[in-house]
Amino acid sequence: MWRSRWDAGVLKAEALALLPCGLGMAFSQSHVMAARRHQHSRLIIEVDEYSSNPTQAFTFYNINQGRFQPPHVQMVDPVPHDAPKPPGYTRFVCVSDTHSRTDPIQMPYGDVLIHAGDFTELGLPSEVKKFNEWLGSLPYEYKIVIAGNHELTFDQEFMADLIKQDFYYFPSVSKLKPENYENVQSLLTNCIYLQDSEVTVRGFRIYGSPFLDWVPKKMQRVGCVELLNTVQRRVQPRLHVFGHIHEGYGVMADGTTTYVNASVCTVNYQPVNPPIVIDLPTPRNS
């Protein structure tokens, strides 16, 4: 699902990234917002030697560079839901991995809702319609959504292969007729849907992509070294929002970028993790 544009073995992650308007933007094979700061406009991110083994990459870079521990990165407490928004700020409410379990979620006040994928179980049109109805009930000024690996019907190539093989893992999906899902994105009428595309809201340029991490074995680290290098060394967005790995819920920061794993569901698919609130100063030219 969501085939990688890199060489075999390279891993991807569904994500959205934000940066204030006015900074340059360009696109590459990476699947994050490709807005470059001027000094990084010619920086090319090569495929990492540990690309196919994230566990080894984590161990190597942590031991040799301390890259994933203080002072390079810090755990961050999200904004309390009842905290007043500072004047001149935009409040982002971040969620992901709701998996058709939105009823118990207490949604806080905010300006922009970001849903970073996996809003259904299988991407069935009935699930998408229900999710869209939930979005329509929310009061946010902007609602921005990307697909995740569970939105099977949003990946036309995967669906074509699935129907040919009658893949037994997804019988309810494989029985769908093409005309039932060919334009499934059009069911999302109550949000801005991004798929390798961008939008500008309140002066922020937001790029969204559904490409995913691959979990080869349990109890191993997963992720994309190239995505991390692109975010940290070239893009350097203000905010990087993602999900998919339910166990990784929480917020970290490296001094430039705030990283938000907004998975609402736990590893047992219980929707108990609260939405994460992040306040950012609204760009003056918005």
Side-chain angles (χ1 to χ4, degrees):
M1 296 169 285
W2 301 114
R3 278 105 174 131
S4 169
R5 296 178 185 171
W6 291 86
D7 295 337
V10 176
L11 315 180
K12 294 294 150 207
E14 58 208 45
L16 292 108
L18 292 85
L19 242 149
C21 278
L23 299 180
M25 171 167 261
F27 291 88
S28 71
Q29 286 183 311
S30 60
H31 304 299
V32 294
M33 179 182 177
R36 303 175 179 179
R37 297 180 188 273
H38 178 71
Q39 64 268 34
H40 298 301
S41 60
R42 295 188 179 183
L43 181 62
I44 297 175
I45 302 300
E46 302 289 346
V47 175
D48 194 275
E49 61 178 314
Y50 300 113
S51 181
S52 61
N53 193 330
T55 300
Q56 187 176 3
F58 181 91
T59 301
F60 176 81
Y61 288 118
N62 220 26
I63 290 176
N64 290 278
Q65 302 175 6
R67 187 173 175 183
F68 308 121
Q69 59 190 19
H72 301 287
V73 294
Q74 302 281 351
M75 296 297 296
V76 176
D77 292 327
V79 176
H81 289 188
D82 58 354
K85 185 182 70 171
Y89 276 64
T90 293
R91 175 157 293 183
F92 292 91
V93 176
C94 306
V95 296
S96 73
D97 299 87
T98 52
H99 295 294
S100 296
R101 294 166 170 83
T102 55
D103 290 344
I105 304 174
Q106 298 296 313
M107 298 300 295
Y109 160 79
D111 302 302
V112 181
L113 171 68
I114 290 182
H115 196 300
D118 283 356
F119 47 87
T120 68
E121 287 280 6
L122 295 171
L124 295 172
S126 58
E127 293 180 297
V128 179
K129 290 178 182 178
K130 181 181 177 182
F131 174 68
N132 186 63
E133 291 173 359
W134 177 71
L135 289 174
S137 71
L138 301 177
Y140 303 105
E141 181 181 2
Y142 297 99
K143 306 159 193 177
I144 300 172
V145 174
I146 63 170
N149 65 309
H150 279 252
E151 280 70 69
L152 305 181
T153 56
F154 283 61
D155 186 339
Q156 297 296 307
E157 287 186 46
F158 174 79
M159 287 299 297
D161 292 340
L162 185 69
I163 291 175
K164 290 177 185 177
Q165 299 169 12
D166 193 24
F167 202 48
Y168 66 92
Y169 279 142
F170 312 112
S172 58
V173 177
S174 60
K175 293 177 182 178
L176 289 174
K177 296 180 179 180
E179 56 265 28
N180 297 136
Y181 64 81
E182 281 179 341
N183 199 24
V184 68
Q185 295 92 330
S186 66
L187 298 176
L188 293 175
T189 59
N190 292 321
C191 68
I192 300 169
Y193 174 70
L194 298 180
Q195 184 168 315
D196 300 319
S197 56
E198 68 166 297
V199 67
T200 299
V201 299
R202 284 179 154 252
F204 294 92
R205 297 172 70 177
I206 303 175
Y207 183 84
S209 176
F211 281 77
L212 310 166
D213 290 330
W214 171 55
V215 186
K217 294 180 181 179
K218 294 183 178 180
M219 304 305 293
Q220 284 192 341
R221 294 190 180 276
V222 295
C224 175
V225 185
E226 289 76 31
L227 180 61
L228 177 64
N229 291 340
T230 299
V231 169
Q232 288 191 320
R233 299 174 181 173
R234 182 169 63 80
V235 179
Q236 299 183 347
R238 295 289 301 276
L239 180 63
H240 185 52
V241 185
F242 47 92
H244 184 52
I245 305 300
H246 297 187
E247 304 92 317
Y249 171 82
V251 186
M252 299 188 75
D254 62 9
T256 300
T257 300
T258 298
Y259 302 85
V260 175
N261 182 322
S263 298
V264 168
C265 283
T266 65
V267 68
N268 295 319
Y269 285 79
Q270 298 299 310
V272 298
N273 293 330
I276 291 176
V277 171
I278 301 291
D279 289 338
L280 293 178
T282 305
R284 293 181 179 179
N285 61 349
S286 63

